Amino acid sequence: MSEKAKPFVQSLKSMPADYRFLGSSPLEDSSSSGSSVPVTIPRNGHLTNGAVGGVDSANDDSPYGLQSISNGDESSLVDEDPIVPLPESNDRRWSDTSVYARKKALQFWVQLPNGNWELGKVLSTSGSGEESVIKLPEGNVLKVISETLVPANPDILDGVDDLMQLSYLNEPSVLYNLEYRYNQDMIYTKAGPVLVAVNPFKEVPLYGDSNIEAYRKRSNQSPHVYAIADTAIREMIRDEVNQSIIISGESGAGKTETAKIAMQYLASLGGGSGIENEILKTNPILEAFGNAKTLRNDNSSRFGKLIEIHFSETRKISGAKIQTFLLEKSRVVQCAEGERSYHIFYQLCAGASPALREKLNLTSAKEYNYLRQSNCYSIKGVDDAERFQAVQEALDIVHVSKDDQESVFAMLAAVLWLGNVSFSIIDNENHAEPESDESLSTVARLIGCNINDLKLALSKRNIKVRNETFVQKLTLSQAIDARDALAKSIYACLFDWLVEQINKSLAVGKRRTGRSISILDIYGFESFNKNSFEQFCINYANERLQQHFNRHLFKLEQEEYIKDGIDWTRVDFEDNQTCLRLFEKKPLGLLSLLDEESTFPNGTDLTLANKLKEHLSDNSCFRGDRGKTFTVAHYAGEVTYETTGFLEKNRDLLHSDSIKLLSSCSRHLPQAFASSMLVHSEKPVVGPLHKAGGPDSQRLSVATKFKGQLFELMQRLGKTTPHFIRCIKPNSVQSPGLYEQELVLQQLRCCGVLEVVRISRSGFPTRMSHQKFALRYGFLLLESIAAKDPLSVSVAILHQFNILPEMYQVGYTKLFFRTGQIGVLEDTRNRTLHGILRLQSCFRGHQARSRLREFKRGITALQSFIRGEKIRKDYTELLRRHRACSAIQSYVKSRIAKRQYKAKVDASLVIQSAIRGELVRRCGGDIKYGGTKRNESGEVLVQASVLSELQRRVLRTEAALREKEEENDILRQRLQQYDNRWSEYETKMKSMEEIWQKQIRSLQSSLSIAKRSLDVEGSPRYSDASVNASDASDFSVSGDFRTPGRSGSVGLSVISRLAEEFGQRAQVFGDDTKFLMEVKSGKVEANLSPERELRRLKQMFETWKKDYGGRLRETKTILSRLGNEETGGSPLVERVKTKWWGRLRSTRF
């Protein structure tokens, strides 16, 4: 313990009774105080950051370790629980902690009017302590009797994986702990040596190869079926003792699935020989033939089974054996509304192949009386046809031949058709015989018997009295009973035959067997509104199993106490031997009296009830009620039975005529069934016999047979080390996430879970090693304990807190405590830790605030200095940049202004010189010499009026020039647009290349013709292409062309032809371009490419334009030459030339 914490602990003993720490509220206003300072305690209850020396190291060894606690629960103890001083009185009774808990205002369980338990806190208690005010979580306040309050465990124990760790063991605490884990998908919880498995009704991530490997390596220690199976196989190898896993629970609790999970783990660890696959494949077969849908469970096992898995010396599975108990045969012929018969009937009707269906004369399940009486033919989410295929595959794996499979299916079809056999009354005495219809003939064919023999077996009975045989006709009800008895016997014998075949297949390698692990999947304790013969046998079996469990449990407890060397005396517990004696006593026990009454032909259910009341009324576990009912006080509670149907179900009569019928069949399965029945009938019934009437009276009764099987089972289990699994059904609607307290509590009582924990805790249920105890509670000592060993520290702690000697025992390695002692020590520890933590939090808060203030002052000064220095540097740099920018701007602006001014001046001078020169030249003719005069040097002097006029003209010219410049800008933009358009047109004109080339070739041919015609003098015809470079020489040497009149007419004709050619070509190119544009836009359809034709057209246009321009220049040259040679040219020719060239400029592209 640290030196700082020691004075605080020493001062606890002298605190006044009403003392409370800062922030905690007194008892009266604990629920409404809002000024408390919340303090969070770690989940493990230890201080952090070295609060107390040596305390943190005890965290891992704490027996109260919790996997997960919500944050809201962590501070609840500090915020609302007042602090109570440590106990000082020597006469305090630590064995009774309820008064202490009420004074401490801990949480309590209170039972509401609807039967549910709610968690609440005591706000106040009356002076006499008889009444208390409880506040519920919803805020409601109740006034209840203090004695009805049940103390709740501290929050640190919420969700513990072992109910033995609960400080206060009571029904609401167990219910809450199971519900807490169930809501987090932790469906497995230990209850001492028992594993409690709550059915989740959904897939949970707790299985698979990874989990199997984790439990095999023991890296996962959480409660699980895998852990139970792993413990069994390890103990089998270590101790060389056979093991057993006993699984029980009511219908729908998950027993079958739990057994399959255990088998999967064993097969995974002991696999390798190949037989493990056959063992797993027995599950589909047994489920199909032995499971059915009930109102409580869609896959309810209607029989008990013991699977004994044998292991070789090499720890591999070498074989297995299956034993079944008490198959519910009545379900074959009778089903309640909403239930189904055995799965195999529906699977056969849905999944049989067409060939098998025709061979067995199968129809829909709705056509059979045995199946349609419940109006339920399918299960949601289950495919019967697919399951039938799985059953066939499993039968193949367990080596059932195809012929035997067909025989099995034939027996099933025969049972279904037996239900359709109808009877007709033949006389006034209500005697009946079966009708000869399709049902009767199908049954006879399927079992291989004569149809007349079948009719006799169902309508008559041979009774042998001494040496005489009488034939008795059956009434309608007797005939129906005989039919149903035959159907039930065939199905029960078929089920037993299948189990026998499976055992033969799994018996491979059994001679080399070392040890075995048995898995018992048996029905749990049942108590319904109406309890019949089945519940009677089931509850009897559970009484036997409970006694076996109690003896085993006390054996383990005794070994633990002896091993640690503590003083121990046998703990009394509620033994169920009295109830077992009620069942098994001879000759006046329940089973003996039932067998005796079953032998009387005139015995009825009422006479049975009266006989039981007459002979068993002295037994404390028996109570006779009115009519046919009686009550038995079982270990799990009282159950009222109704004797209706007891005698019939116990007799399980099948007359000798029916056995003879089966023995006479041609098929081997009915013959095997008859042989089996005859073997069982040779065993006499123990007890008085009323008469000798053949095999039906000599057979063993169902109760006697079940009792024998049960004794054999208990002898087998007695030679093994048992491991117990109790399956719990959380709700009656098979819905995930729903937890019904009343239903779960009833199952806990029936399974004996609470009794198990109570027995385990009746001695010293809480155990802790000396080291763990000293590490966890050593800091509570008032004296230094540094140099003492853990045992001395532990004893000192016990003495300091005045724990009475009878409340604990000190062993060699452990401390053993009775119920509630560790809970009180834990409360004291938490209270002390809370006070230390509050003090430390205040001191550390003061230190932190002081340091924070110092840091703030230093940071403020440092920030002010740094920020000032930074601002000054930034200002200097900014000022330097501003000056540099100003200098650069002034220089740049001056240079720009100079350049602009110089450019303007130069432009103005150029414009002025050009304009003035043009004006002078234009206006030179208007200036009169009268207005001017020359000086002596020859300069012209202009008058002032003329000069002003010239200046005005210059100004107007400048204005006009500016307008023209603006127009030029607009024209440049338009020209740019036209250039863009022209670039587009150029791409289109190239497509006209071929067409224009043809036209150019024709033009060239016509030009060549014109040239040849011009070469001939005096020719009256001229070609429009006669003007070229060679014509110039012709014109110069020919005398005909030198005449003025002739040369003028020739020039006119050439010019006119050129103009005409220009117009025609312009028209042709325009039409072609327009046509291609229409083709491209889709207005005209043509089988050509517009883009390609446009490119060709443009190329042709460029070629013609070039040629035309050359010819035009040549013509101009020749005409100019002719005009100069002939008197400088005639006026007519000049006018024509002027007119032609003007028109050419106006129409040029």
Side-chain angles (χ1 to χ4, degrees):
M1 179 181 293
S2 64
E3 296 300 327
K4 293 182 180 180
K6 188 181 300 183
F8 175 78
V9 177
Q10 292 176 351
S11 64
L12 289 175
K13 191 172 182 180
S14 59
M15 290 180 181
D18 58 348
Y19 178 81
R20 59 188 179 92
F21 290 108
L22 180 62
S24 62
S25 55
L27 189 62
E28 292 76 17
D29 58 353
S30 61
S31 62
S32 59
S33 177
S35 60
S36 61
V37 180
V39 178
T40 302
I41 303 299
R43 289 189 173 96
N44 55 16
H46 297 290
L47 289 176
T48 57
N49 299 329
V52 178
V55 176
D56 291 340
S57 60
N59 180 21
D60 296 335
D61 297 330
S62 171
Y64 299 97
L66 188 59
Q67 295 180 357
S68 61
I69 298 180
S70 61
N71 294 333
D73 294 339
E74 293 176 351
S75 60
S76 59
L77 291 175
V78 179
D79 293 340
E80 298 183 8
D81 291 350
I83 301 301
V84 179
L86 293 175
E88 301 181 57
S89 175
N90 294 332
D91 59 351
R92 175 169 295 281
R93 303 293 298 176
W94 286 77
S95 60
D96 182 13
T97 58
S98 58
V99 177
Y100 172 81
R102 282 198 296 273
K103 288 178 62 179
K104 194 175 172 296
L106 286 176
Q107 294 177 335
F108 281 86
W109 293 106
V110 57
Q111 192 169 19
L112 301 180
N114 60 3
N116 292 335
W117 293 90
E118 282 287 345
L119 194 63
K121 286 198 173 183
V122 176
L123 298 181
S124 63
T125 305
S126 62
S128 60
E130 296 180 355
E131 294 182 348
S132 299
V133 178
I134 294 291
K135 182 181 180 182
L136 300 180
E138 295 81 4
N140 300 331
V141 178
L142 299 178
K143 189 175 183 181
V144 297
I145 300 176
S146 300
E147 296 299 329
T148 62
L149 296 178
V150 179
N153 293 282
D155 295 341
I156 195 174
L157 297 180
D158 289 347
V160 292
D161 56 8
D162 192 347
L163 299 179
M164 293 279 292
Q165 296 181 9
L166 296 177
S167 296
Y168 303 106
L169 179 68
N170 44 59
E171 291 181 351
S173 296
V174 173
L175 285 174
Y176 172 75
N177 194 77
L178 292 178
E179 182 178 8
Y180 185 93
R181 295 178 60 81
Y182 176 73
N183 292 333
Q184 299 183 14
D185 289 339
M186 295 184 291
I187 62 174
Y188 297 112
T189 306
K190 291 187 65 178
V194 179
L195 177 68
V196 179
V198 184
N199 193 344
F201 293 114
K202 64 178 181 179
E203 296 290 336
V204 291
L206 299 178
Y207 312 104
D209 295 338
S210 60
N211 288 281
I212 290 177
E213 187 66 18
Y215 280 94
R216 187 184 68 83
K217 295 181 178 179
R218 293 201 167 186
S219 59
N220 191 343
Q221 298 292 335
S222 301
H224 201 287
V225 178
Y226 290 163
I228 296 294
D230 185 77
T231 302
I233 197 170
R234 290 178 184 273
E235 291 185 3
M236 180 193 69
I237 297 172
R238 182 192 64 196
D239 302 333
E240 296 185 355
V241 177
N242 294 337
Q243 307 290 312
S244 60
I245 301 175
I246 302 174
I247 305 172
S248 63
E250 75 165 46
S251 178
K255 301 186 299 297
T256 302
E257 293 299 323
T258 302
K260 289 161 62 176
I261 294 170
M263 292 171 61
Q264 289 173 0
Y265 188 84
L266 295 178
S268 176
L269 265 65
S273 61
I275 198 172
E276 65 276 1
N277 188 35
E278 296 183 29
I279 296 176
L280 295 178
K281 285 300 180 181
T282 61
N283 290 320
I285 301 174
L286 296 177
E287 286 186 14
F289 286 86
N291 289 22
K293 180 186 183 303
T294 64
L295 295 178
R296 294 190 174 189
N297 185 11
D298 290 343
N299 189 33
S300 175
S301 297
R302 309 315 300 164
F303 70 105
K305 66 176 179 289
L306 176 69
I307 303 176
E308 187 176 3
I309 303 176
H310 297 270
F311 291 82
S312 64
E313 295 179 356
T314 58
R315 304 174 186 176
K316 299 296 182 182
I317 296 177
S318 61
K321 182 180 179 181
I322 299 176
Q323 182 180 359
T324 60
F325 310 96
L326 197 62
L327 177 68
E328 187 183 8
K329 295 188 291 184
S330 61
R331 182 167 291 272
V332 177
V333 299
Q334 184 180 3
C335 291
E337 184 73 21
E339 295 186 352
R340 292 206 321 177
S341 185
Y342 291 102
H343 295 325
I344 189 60
F345 292 122
Y346 305 91
Q347 294 172 2
L348 177 63
C349 293
S353 63
L356 181 62
R357 187 178 296 274
E358 181 180 358
K359 189 173 183 179
L360 304 181
N361 195 20
L362 281 176
T363 61
S364 172
K366 298 180 180 179
E367 301 299 328
Y368 297 108
N369 293 334
Y370 283 161
L371 303 183
R372 67 185 178 190
Q373 57 184 330
S374 63
N375 293 324
C376 181
Y377 306 100
S378 62
I379 301 175
K380 184 178 180 181
V382 176
D383 187 353
D384 288 324
E386 183 179 346
R387 294 290 178 90
F388 183 73
Q389 301 300 324
V391 171
Q392 287 183 309
E393 294 176 2
L395 290 173
D396 292 335
I397 292 176
V398 297
H399 309 294
V400 177
S401 64
K402 292 295 183 181
D403 294 338
D404 287 342
Q405 291 184 31
E406 289 187 1
S407 299
V408 170
F409 299 146
M411 293 300 103
L412 294 174
V415 171
L416 293 178
W417 281 111
L418 267 176
N420 287 5
V421 173
S422 58
F423 299 88
S424 60
I425 299 175
I426 59 176
D427 54 24
N428 295 330
E429 296 181 1
N430 202 29
H431 293 153
E433 68 176 12
E435 296 182 356
S436 299
D437 53 8
E438 181 187 10
S439 302
L440 191 67
S441 62
T442 303
V443 173
R445 180 175 60 84
L446 290 175
I447 65 176
C449 71
N450 186 278
I451 189 172
N452 293 325
D453 295 340
L454 179 59
K455 291 180 66 175
L456 290 175
L458 297 180
S459 60
K460 296 180 181 180
R461 179 176 301 172
N462 294 323
I463 300 176
K464 185 177 181 181
V465 179
R466 297 180 183 178
N467 296 328
E468 297 182 5
T469 301
F470 298 92
V471 178
Q472 178 185 0
K473 293 183 179 180
L474 301 180
T475 62
L476 179 61
S477 60
Q478 291 174 343
I480 293 175
D481 291 341
R483 179 200 65 184
D484 293 345
L486 179 60
K488 291 189 293 184
S489 298
I490 291 176
Y491 189 82
C493 291
L494 177 63
F495 184 78
D496 294 337
W497 181 86
L498 275 174
V499 174
E500 183 181 354
Q501 298 303 310
I502 292 174
N503 288 334
K504 289 180 181 179
S505 174
L506 300 181
V508 180
K510 186 176 180 180
R511 294 180 181 178
R512 295 177 293 156
T513 297
R515 294 296 176 182
S516 66
I517 297 178
S518 301
I519 300 177
L520 177 63
D521 176 9
I522 199 166
Y523 8 69
F525 188 87
E526 292 184 355
S527 178
F528 306 129
N529 295 330
K530 183 178 180 181
N531 300 283
S532 187
F533 180 73
E534 289 80 9
Q535 285 72 41
F536 179 80
C537 296
I538 288 172
N539 292 340
Y540 166 55
N542 278 272
E543 287 286 350
R544 266 291 169 194
L545 291 173
Q546 183 66 22
Q547 186 187 53
H548 174 73
F549 173 76
N550 290 343
R551 291 178 178 177
H552 173 73
L553 176 65
F554 279 103
K555 181 181 178 181
L556 294 180
E557 288 288 309
Q558 184 176 2
E559 290 178 354
E560 180 75 15
Y561 295 154
I562 294 175
K563 180 181 178 180
D564 227 65
I566 67 172
D567 295 334
W568 177 79
T569 57
R570 181 175 179 83
V571 180
D572 295 331
F573 69 98
E574 185 178 351
D575 194 2
N576 62 343
Q577 185 61 40
T578 305
C579 186
L580 285 174
R581 192 179 298 112
L582 172 66
F583 276 87
E584 300 172 353
K585 184 179 179 182
K586 296 180 180 180
L588 298 179
L590 284 174
L591 298 178
S592 299
L593 293 175
L594 176 60
D595 286 341
E596 178 181 336
E597 191 67 18
S598 299
T599 60
F600 296 143
N602 297 327
T604 62
D605 298 328
L606 183 58
T607 59
L608 172 63
N610 293 332
K611 179 178 288 188
L612 296 179
K613 298 172 187 176
E614 179 183 355
H615 294 90
L616 302 176
S617 58
D618 294 338
N619 193 298
S620 60
C621 295
F622 180 87
R623 185 179 74 245
D625 298 329
R626 282 185 174 184
K628 301 179 182 180
T629 59
F630 65 94
T631 302
V632 177
H634 292 279
Y635 75 94
E638 293 186 350
V639 180
T640 300
Y641 300 97
E642 186 175 344
T643 59
T644 302
F646 263 55
L647 295 180
E648 179 185 355
K649 294 177 180 179
N650 186 49
R651 290 167 181 161
D652 193 23
L653 290 180
L654 183 65
H655 200 267
S656 59
D657 296 336
S658 299
I659 299 177
K660 292 178 181 178
L661 174 68
L662 294 176
S663 63
S664 65
C665 293
S666 60
R667 291 181 176 271
H668 70 283
L669 277 184
Q671 294 176 0
F673 298 164
S675 300
S676 176
M677 293 177 189
L678 290 173
V679 170
H680 289 295
S681 66
E682 293 175 357
K683 299 179 181 179
V685 178
V686 179
L689 296 176
H690 179 68
K691 71 171 186 174
D696 48 1
S697 63
Q698 293 292 330
R699 298 179 67 247
L700 286 174
S701 67
V702 174
T704 302
K705 187 189 302 183
F706 182 68
K707 179 181 177 182
Q709 291 178 336
L710 187 59
F711 269 90
E712 182 183 352
L713 173 65
M714 299 312 300
Q715 290 177 359
R716 184 179 299 178
L717 294 179
K719 299 177 182 179
T720 64
T721 301
H723 307 269
F724 299 91
I725 300 178
R726 299 293 199 237
C727 298
I728 301 297
K729 183 178 181 180
N731 58 77
S732 56
V733 295
Q734 304 180 35
S735 175
L738 182 60
Y739 189 87
E740 299 177 1
Q741 289 188 5
E742 184 177 357
L743 178 62
V744 174
L745 181 59
Q746 178 186 0
Q747 295 175 80
L748 291 176
R749 292 170 178 169
C750 293
C751 291
V753 173
L754 298 177
E755 185 69 12
V756 167
V757 182
R758 189 192 68 80
I759 292 174
S760 299
R761 294 167 60 93
S762 59
F764 299 94
T766 306
R767 299 148 196 187
M768 191 180 301
S769 65
H770 300 156
Q771 291 81 3
K772 293 180 183 178
F773 190 82
L775 286 175
R776 189 165 183 82
Y777 305 107
F779 73 95
L780 297 176
L781 288 176
L782 302 180
E783 299 178 357
S784 176
I785 58 173
K788 294 183 179 180
D789 59 282
L791 178 59
S792 302
V793 174
S794 302
V795 174
I797 295 172
L798 298 175
H799 287 309
Q800 175 173 318
F801 290 98
N802 301 320
I803 300 179
L804 299 180
E806 60 268 21
M807 294 294 107
Y808 69 92
Q809 287 284 340
V810 180
Y812 296 142
T813 60
K814 298 179 182 178
L815 290 174
F816 295 79
F817 294 93
R818 293 197 184 274
T819 304
Q821 303 310 307
I822 287 294
V824 176
L825 283 175
E826 190 69 20
D827 294 338
T828 304
R829 177 181 179 277
N830 290 338
R831 213 169 45 243
T832 305
L833 291 179
H834 294 167
I836 295 173
L837 185 61
R838 183 61 59 87
L839 182 62
Q840 288 180 344
S841 64
C842 294
F843 176 72
R844 289 172 179 171
H846 172 71
Q847 277 188 330
R849 286 188 291 272
S850 300
R851 293 195 189 100
L852 180 62
R853 286 192 292 269
E854 293 177 1
F855 284 148
K856 282 185 176 180
R857 287 194 294 268
I859 290 172
T860 303
L862 184 61
Q863 285 179 343
S864 62
F865 173 77
I866 293 175
R867 288 172 180 172
E869 185 67 21
K870 183 178 179 181
I871 290 297
R872 285 189 289 271
K873 289 182 179 179
D874 292 344
Y875 176 75
T876 303
E877 179 65 18
L878 183 63
L879 184 61
R880 185 183 65 80
R881 290 185 178 183
H882 179 72
R883 292 172 179 172
C885 289
S886 299
I888 293 172
Q889 286 179 352
S890 62
Y891 176 75
V892 171
K893 289 179 180 180
S894 63
R895 290 291 301 272
I896 292 173
K898 290 178 180 178
R899 289 179 183 178
Q900 291 178 350
Y901 176 75
K902 185 177 179 181
K904 289 180 180 180
V905 170
D906 295 341
S908 299
L909 293 176
V910 172
I911 293 172
Q912 287 178 356
S913 62
I915 293 174
R916 288 172 181 172
E918 181 68 18
L919 291 176
V920 169
R921 285 189 293 271
R922 289 183 180 181
C923 300
D926 297 335
I927 300 175
K928 296 181 180 181
Y929 290 101
T932 61
K933 62 180 180 179
R934 295 181 179 269
N935 54 11
E936 296 178 354
S937 61
E939 295 179 354
V940 179
L941 300 176
V942 184
Q943 295 181 357
S945 60
V946 175
L947 184 59
S948 61
E949 179 65 21
L950 290 175
Q951 290 176 350
R952 285 193 297 271
R953 291 182 180 182
V954 168
L955 293 176
R956 287 196 298 268
T957 303
E958 289 177 352
L961 180 61
R962 285 192 296 270
E963 292 178 359
K964 294 298 180 180
E965 288 178 351
E966 293 175 356
E967 291 178 1
N968 288 338
D969 293 337
I970 296 174
L971 291 175
R972 289 191 191 95
Q973 295 177 359
R974 291 181 180 178
L975 182 60
Q976 183 65 31
Q977 295 177 357
Y978 292 153
D979 290 338
N980 294 336
R981 293 179 182 178
W982 178 249
S983 62
E984 295 177 358
Y985 291 153
E986 282 182 343
T987 59
K988 297 176 182 179
M989 292 288 289
K990 291 180 181 180
S991 64
M992 298 299 295
E993 178 180 0
E994 293 181 0
I995 300 174
W996 285 4
Q997 285 180 356
K998 294 179 181 180
Q999 294 177 357
I1000 291 299
R1001 285 194 296 269
S1002 63
L1003 182 62
Q1004 289 176 352
S1005 62
S1006 58
L1007 284 175
S1008 62
I1009 294 171
K1011 287 180 180 181
R1012 286 192 298 269
S1013 63
L1014 288 176
D1015 294 338
V1016 181
E1017 283 186 346
S1019 177
R1021 296 185 305 171
Y1022 298 93
S1023 172
D1024 54 356
S1026 60
V1027 181
N1028 49 30
S1030 62
D1031 294 334
S1033 60
D1034 295 339
F1035 276 96
S1036 62
V1037 296
S1038 177
D1040 296 337
F1041 287 93
R1042 293 180 183 275
T1043 60
R1046 184 175 180 86
S1047 62
S1049 63
V1050 171
L1052 289 175
S1053 64
V1054 171
I1055 292 172
S1056 63
R1057 281 194 296 269
L1058 288 175
E1060 184 179 359
E1061 179 188 357
F1062 181 84
Q1064 291 177 355
R1065 291 300 179 184
Q1067 182 66 29
V1068 170
F1069 287 130
D1071 294 340
D1072 293 339
T1073 305
K1074 182 178 180 182
F1075 171 76
L1076 291 177
M1077 295 303 293
E1078 289 177 351
V1079 170
K1080 184 175 181 180
S1081 62
K1083 296 180 180 180
V1084 178
E1085 296 182 357
N1087 189 14
L1088 52 84
S1089 175
E1091 289 80 8
R1092 186 172 59 188
E1093 297 300 330
L1094 281 173
R1095 288 195 299 270
R1096 293 178 180 178
L1097 182 63
K1098 180 182 178 183
Q1099 187 175 0
M1100 292 173 63
F1101 174 78
E1102 293 292 336
T1103 304
W1104 174 82
K1105 185 175 68 171
K1106 184 177 180 181
D1107 180 75
Y1108 185 83
R1111 288 188 285 113
L1112 192 62
R1113 286 191 297 272
E1114 291 175 357
T1115 304
K1116 183 178 179 181
T1117 304
I1118 294 171
L1119 292 177
S1120 299
R1121 189 186 307 165
L1122 291 175
N1124 293 332
E1125 289 178 355
E1126 297 178 4
T1127 65
S1130 64
L1132 178 61
V1133 174
E1134 291 296 330
R1135 286 197 302 268
V1136 172
K1137 287 171 58 178
T1138 304
K1139 182 179 179 181
W1140 159 251
W1141 295 121
R1143 185 173 60 182
L1144 180 63
R1145 289 193 188 96
S1146 64
T1147 58
R1148 180 170 296 179
F1149 285 84

